[in-house]
Amino acid sequence: MNGIPPPETLGEMQDLNAKQDQAILLDLFRTQNIAVITVMSLLLWMFTSVGYFGLSLNTSNLHGNAYLNCFLSAVIEVPAYVIAWLLLRTLPRRYSISGTLFFGGGVILFIQLVPSDLHLLSVILAMLGKFGVTAAFSMLYVYTAELYPTIVRNMAVGATSMSSRVGSIIAPYFVYLGAYDRFLPYILMGSLTVLIGILTLFLPESYGNPLPETFQEMLRVKGTVFQDVSPTFGDPLEGPYNEDLRGTNLAQGCQNSLTLK
């Protein structure tokens, strides 16, 4: 209206918003690589949530004053968030999350080895386990957002967060197992936490890498090789948000053919 042409970046932002509106949940399983990352992320969020909420709900079963134990369980999250912030700024994501999960799960497993008369030591170990799981849980939000391309990033964080809600639903049943054996909840939660820490090491490392914009820019799962053209649902180059990429690939192919001639 005022005769001034709009900046080019404005059109790109509008195109990006249109592409995001067209993405669906099945795009999280569009190729083999993104499907494996999605399944691993769902398990990571769910089992981490089981450990976090299981330890929180089991606080009242610890020896000593229940109010003091609940207070300590809440206070221990403050240094956990600080440590998580420092780890995210300095160390790779996979090692930070896996290390805190190993620490939390290992400490929880050690509780069964504490003599019955050392109640204070059991409480300290439970709080240290909560510290490790809380630090890992807080880093998952950043790590998951960095793994997925822009067009499905919000959807991926929402899906994995929903998976953690499933973990919070089943966490009380882990606590109820203490009626059969008081160490059984710690054994199960500690084992799952350590196992999911091992699984984290196979996820791609996003630290220091630019955020992916398309599926083709996503990082690969460690130890596996997937082809870009072997999707789970349709051709990964199909769809309105990959038309530009298809055109670029065709142009490059034509250029290479002319060069060979």
Side-chain angles (χ1 to χ4, degrees):
M1 296 177 64
N2 56 7
I4 300 177
E8 296 181 358
T9 56
L10 180 61
E12 295 177 356
M13 293 179 60
Q14 293 177 348
D15 293 340
L16 181 59
N17 292 332
K19 295 173 183 178
Q20 289 178 339
D21 293 338
Q22 296 169 354
I24 60 176
L25 184 62
L26 290 180
D27 286 330
L28 297 180
F29 304 91
R30 190 176 184 86
T31 65
Q32 292 181 353
N33 182 61
I34 191 174
V36 172
I37 292 177
T38 299
V39 172
M40 295 172 66
S41 298
L42 293 174
L43 294 176
L44 176 60
W45 278 73
M46 184 173 64
F47 290 141
T48 304
S49 178
V50 168
Y52 176 82
F53 288 100
L55 290 173
S56 300
L57 296 173
N58 195 57
T59 302
S60 59
N61 297 329
L62 297 175
H63 181 78
N65 188 286
Y67 299 101
L68 179 60
N69 291 337
C70 290
F71 173 77
L72 294 176
S73 179
V75 169
I76 199 64
E77 295 191 12
V78 176
Y81 292 136
V82 175
I83 292 297
W85 174 70
L86 294 175
L87 291 176
L88 289 174
R89 290 177 58 89
T90 56
L91 296 178
R93 309 290 192 243
R94 291 187 303 123
Y95 299 129
S96 299
I97 297 176
S98 181
T100 51
L101 288 174
F102 281 144
F103 173 78
V107 168
I108 295 172
L109 289 175
F110 272 117
I111 294 179
Q112 60 181 320
L113 304 178
V114 176
S116 57
D117 56 335
L118 297 179
H119 303 295
L120 180 60
L121 182 58
S122 298
V123 175
I124 294 176
L125 292 178
M127 297 304 163
L128 290 177
K130 176 77 177 297
F131 170 85
V133 175
T134 301
F137 205 173
S138 62
M139 289 186 284
L140 289 182
Y141 290 90
V142 176
Y143 184 45
T144 303
E146 293 176 347
L147 289 178
Y148 288 89
T150 303
I151 53 180
V152 294
R153 183 169 296 127
N154 292 337
M155 188 183 303
V157 175
T160 52
S161 180
M162 182 191 67
S163 176
S164 71
R165 302 287 78 82
V166 176
S168 65
I169 291 173
I170 65 177
Y173 297 99
F174 282 78
V175 179
Y176 294 154
L177 293 176
Y180 303 96
D181 188 333
R182 67 189 185 93
F183 294 123
L184 188 56
Y186 297 112
I187 294 175
L188 292 178
M189 290 187 293
S191 300
L192 289 176
T193 303
V194 172
L195 289 176
I196 204 63
I198 297 175
L199 183 65
T200 305
L201 296 175
F202 293 94
L203 286 170
E205 180 53 62
S206 60
Y207 180 70
N209 295 315
L211 292 177
E213 297 291 339
T214 64
F215 292 110
Q216 286 70 26
E217 295 178 1
M218 288 186 63
L219 300 172
R220 301 294 177 184
V221 177
K222 300 297 180 181
T224 58
V225 178
F226 297 120
Q227 297 180 359
D228 290 340
V229 293
S230 57
T232 304
F233 295 98
D235 185 355
L237 295 181
E238 290 181 354
Y241 44 81
N242 283 318
E243 291 179 355
D244 294 338
L245 180 62
R246 180 184 291 276
T248 302
N249 292 339
L250 292 176
Q252 291 177 351
C254 294
Q255 183 178 1
N256 292 336
S257 301
L258 294 175
T259 303
L260 292 176
K261 293 180 180 179

